[in-house]
Amino acid sequence: MDTPAVAFALASVLHAGFQVTVTTLVYPALASRGAEDWQVAHDRHSRAIVPLVAVVYVALLATGVFLVASGPDAVAWLGLGGAASALAVTATLAAPTHGRLTDRDEALVARLLVVDRWRCAAAVLGAVASVAALAG
């Protein structure tokens, strides 16, 4: 088996699982908090998720670089594109929206939920393509 492709597929599946969990469980629970609970809940969420985000994203980036260096095929490039899209949405949309949510703001919470769904779709696409690349 192609070690870089396997490593990236594993990291992509980890990333997709993390993202699906955030999208289906974590963010809806956070969004259900009222204004009186918002600051404490948002701060707790932000502190608690950072170590997990760091592990998942470092694994995804490191294995992605390893895969690019090995010369991926077209399907693996699709997997890399999905992962890169999810990371780009995080950096340009999700993280800045989180940063602005010091107080509960319905419009920003709604924006975060929509942005997160796009990020989740990209992560799942990346994982499916990276696993499919192993069959090729």
Side-chain angles (χ1 to χ4, degrees):
M1 280 228 119
D2 181 12
T3 301
V6 170
F8 184 72
L10 289 171
S12 293
V13 169
L14 172 67
H15 177 232
F18 164 76
Q19 191 57 59
V20 166
T21 302
V22 168
T23 301
T24 61
L25 298 174
V26 176
Y27 276 9
L30 183 61
S32 72
R33 299 296 189 140
E36 64 282 354
D37 298 333
W38 179 260
Q39 186 66 49
V40 170
H42 185 263
D43 289 349
R44 185 180 305 133
H45 161 77
S46 297
R47 281 189 312 273
I49 205 162
V50 165
L52 185 56
V53 168
V55 168
V56 171
Y57 283 22
V58 166
L60 192 64
L61 289 168
T63 59
V65 168
F66 189 34
L67 179 58
V68 168
S70 75
D73 66 13
V75 179
W77 275 111
L78 182 60
L80 287 160
S85 296
L87 295 177
V89 169
T90 298
T92 63
L93 299 170
T97 302
H98 255 296
R100 293 175 54 201
L101 278 167
T102 54
D103 294 316
R104 182 169 174 82
D105 177 314
E106 290 298 325
L108 287 177
V109 170
R111 175 184 169 97
L112 183 62
L113 293 173
V114 169
V115 164
D116 183 62
R117 289 181 191 116
W118 282 105
R119 175 171 58 175
C120 185
V124 170
L125 170 67
V128 168
S130 68
V131 170
L134 297 177

